Amino acid sequence: MKKITLLILLFLGLCIEASSQVQVAWDGPVGIDIIFKRCYVKGNQCIVDFVIVNNTNKDISNFSTSHFASHPTAYDDEGNNYEYSISANQFNNAECMIGGKKLGEVISIPAGVSVKAHMVITSFDEYATMITLYRHDFGFMYNNSHMNAKRVEFRNIPVSRD
């Protein structure tokens, strides 16, 4: 009986761990991967890091977010909405960088290379423990043809604090 109880508790622990994983949904082409790295709070800023990996055999040119209506948006578990303004290049008064350039600037991603995306949300709620949804649209040239916007969504991002 003790073994069965222990196995049930172990199974429940595994289920809890699996459900707390950050969920990544990407509708872009096969071979272009989005990998969540970390989310942490420093002072009143929340920093979200992820990488964009070009696992294709082709270079990606004109990777950008500047020409699409939907822009980075985040929601926390306290009900707050943080929205990025492309025209002001601010996410609540903080810069966002992809591949070392500001959003709206065009970057290229050579085949087999990763680029870092670094998003900062200022005035982040002091009681928030999770970003329930982070949504970001991208557009880029691939195989010499312009593609429509492709969306990445991260769900259930735990926020680590000092």
Side-chain angles (χ1 to χ4, degrees):
M1 185 66 177
K2 289 181 184 179
K3 288 181 183 179
I4 292 173
T5 305
L6 181 61
L7 286 173
I8 290 171
L9 290 174
L10 180 61
F11 178 73
L12 288 174
L14 291 173
C15 291
I16 291 170
E17 179 64 29
S19 67
S20 67
Q21 297 282 331
V22 174
Q23 299 168 357
V24 180
W26 165 242
D27 70 356
V30 173
I32 299 170
D33 300 318
I34 309 287
I35 302 169
F36 173 79
K37 296 303 257 181
R38 68 193 64 82
C39 178
Y40 58 96
V41 172
K42 193 177 209 180
N44 71 337
Q45 297 180 326
C46 181
I47 295 98
V48 179
D49 290 332
F50 60 96
V51 292
I52 302 162
V53 185
N54 181 359
N55 287 321
T56 68
N57 294 325
K58 308 261 183 196
D59 292 350
I60 298 171
S61 59
N62 296 331
F63 192 92
S64 178
T65 59
S66 62
H67 298 98
F68 300 96
S70 182
H71 39 274
T73 304
Y75 302 87
D76 68 24
D77 60 345
E78 290 290 319
N80 298 300
N81 178 12
Y82 308 94
E83 197 165 304
Y84 184 85
S85 168
I86 290 176
S87 62
N89 196 33
Q90 294 180 347
F91 205 155
N92 289 355
N93 301 320
E95 288 187 356
C96 299
M97 304 291 282
I98 296 181
K101 294 188 177 185
K102 293 178 183 178
L103 286 183
E105 295 180 333
V106 175
I107 66 168
S108 295
I109 309 174
V113 172
S114 301
V115 294
K116 181 178 181 178
H118 180 81
M119 307 298 168
V120 181
I121 303 168
T122 60
S123 303
F124 192 69
D125 191 298
E126 65 180 310
Y127 299 109
T129 60
M130 177 180 290
I131 295 177
T132 55
L133 173 64
Y134 175 85
R135 180 179 290 151
H136 197 132
D137 288 352
F138 297 103
F140 52 92
M141 294 288 285
Y142 178 71
N143 284 342
N144 296 320
S145 64
H146 192 67
M147 298 184 72
N148 293 329
K150 298 298 180 185
R151 175 170 285 174
V152 65
E153 289 186 355
F154 299 109
R155 291 188 179 270
N156 304 323
I157 301 172
V159 176
S160 61
R161 295 180 184 265
D162 294 336

